[in-house]
Amino acid sequence: MLAENKYQDQDKVKVYVECDEEIKLPTYGSEWSAGLDIYLPEPVVLRPGEKKIIPSGLKLAIPAGTELQLRPRSGLSLKSNLKISNSPGTIDADYRDEIGVIAENTFRMSDLLDEILLKPELKEKLRTEYQEYDYAEYSGYELKSPLPLYLDKHGNPYGTIYLAKGERIAQLVLGLYLKLEFEKVSDIRQYGADRGGGFGSTGR
């Protein structure tokens, strides 16, 4: 059972949105979801090792004193090699340009040998669904590899990530923040005891 939300009677925070008619607005996956899912306005292809900014089609104006954090979706992170860089990314209240998701395909073509060792059944998939090429012949350079280059029916290497239009790519979470004001002091310990430890304090 969920704990009572003491803020549930407050009005929702209004956010102004500029986008094309066909753009799907972010939505909550359930009543108690903290994050809003962002949907892809167009298909995206990320080849192994490629990093790019994926446009969201959204320009937002959020209230002063708040920030939007852009975060990865756990399911997509678990089931693919997609990584949302700069996570969580901060969208400030005075930002008015299109929100972009910095995405990277962390798979490297040199990882294929390790993947085959972990999943021997992959060899059959490569044989039936991919075209085999020699690295040197394909690139025009003398490149040596323990495995050939495998390209799919679109001409992209094994490990390429295909994301469809309308797929959920990331999440937005709205948060409050306080401004900091710094004052230099001679001894920081006069403002509280030093617990000791820091990096590596777990003892590992």
Side-chain angles (χ1 to χ4, degrees):
M1 182 176 179
L2 292 171
E4 182 182 356
N5 180 1
K6 63 180 179 180
Y7 302 110
Q8 62 187 359
D9 294 329
Q10 293 188 5
D11 293 336
K12 294 181 180 179
V13 176
K14 179 175 286 188
V15 174
Y16 298 97
V17 186
E18 179 186 332
C19 63
D20 294 336
E21 286 295 327
E22 67 272 14
I23 298 295
K24 183 174 181 179
L25 295 181
T27 62
Y28 290 105
S30 69
E31 181 182 1
W32 301 106
S33 294
L36 288 149
D37 290 321
I38 297 179
Y39 299 88
L40 286 175
E42 298 293 341
V44 171
V45 177
L46 278 170
R47 297 170 181 84
E50 186 175 12
K51 180 188 292 187
K52 65 172 62 171
I53 298 178
I54 300 176
S56 69
L58 302 169
K59 296 180 181 179
L60 305 179
I62 61 176
T66 67
E67 61 150 345
L68 273 176
Q69 291 189 1
L70 194 147
R71 304 178 183 180
R73 296 189 67 252
S74 56
L76 198 56
S77 299
L78 176 65
K79 298 173 184 177
S80 75
N81 290 293
L82 182 74
K83 174 186 176 183
I84 304 300
S85 303
N86 189 35
S87 176
T90 297
I91 301 164
D92 295 306
D94 57 357
Y95 181 76
R96 294 294 179 270
D97 293 319
E98 183 176 3
I99 293 175
V101 181
I102 305 175
E104 179 184 4
N105 183 349
T106 59
F107 187 82
R108 301 294 186 268
M109 287 184 279
S110 57
D111 295 336
L112 181 55
L113 181 58
D114 292 333
E115 190 155 334
I116 290 175
L117 293 174
L118 291 171
K119 299 184 291 186
E121 65 276 11
L122 178 58
K123 291 186 290 185
E124 179 62 19
K125 180 177 181 178
L126 291 171
R127 187 185 67 81
T128 58
E129 299 181 20
Y130 289 79
Q131 185 70 38
E132 184 177 314
Y133 288 88
D134 179 79
Y135 271 90
E137 180 183 358
Y138 183 81
S139 66
Y141 295 94
E142 289 298 323
L143 299 175
K144 294 183 179 180
S145 172
L147 288 174
L149 178 65
Y150 291 96
L151 302 183
D152 62 20
K153 61 182 180 181
H154 303 290
N156 293 315
Y158 175 82
T160 296
I161 295 173
Y162 294 93
L163 301 171
K165 179 180 179 179
E167 190 166 348
R168 295 172 294 173
I169 180 67
Q171 290 188 326
L172 292 173
V173 176
L174 184 71
L176 303 173
Y177 67 88
L178 298 174
K179 287 285 189 180
L180 303 181
E181 181 180 344
F182 293 98
E183 179 182 346
K184 289 186 177 180
V185 298
S186 58
D187 184 5
I188 200 66
R189 290 173 179 81
Q190 65 181 301
Y191 296 95
D194 184 3
R195 70 165 195 180
F199 297 104
S201 61
T202 58
R204 295 185 181 182

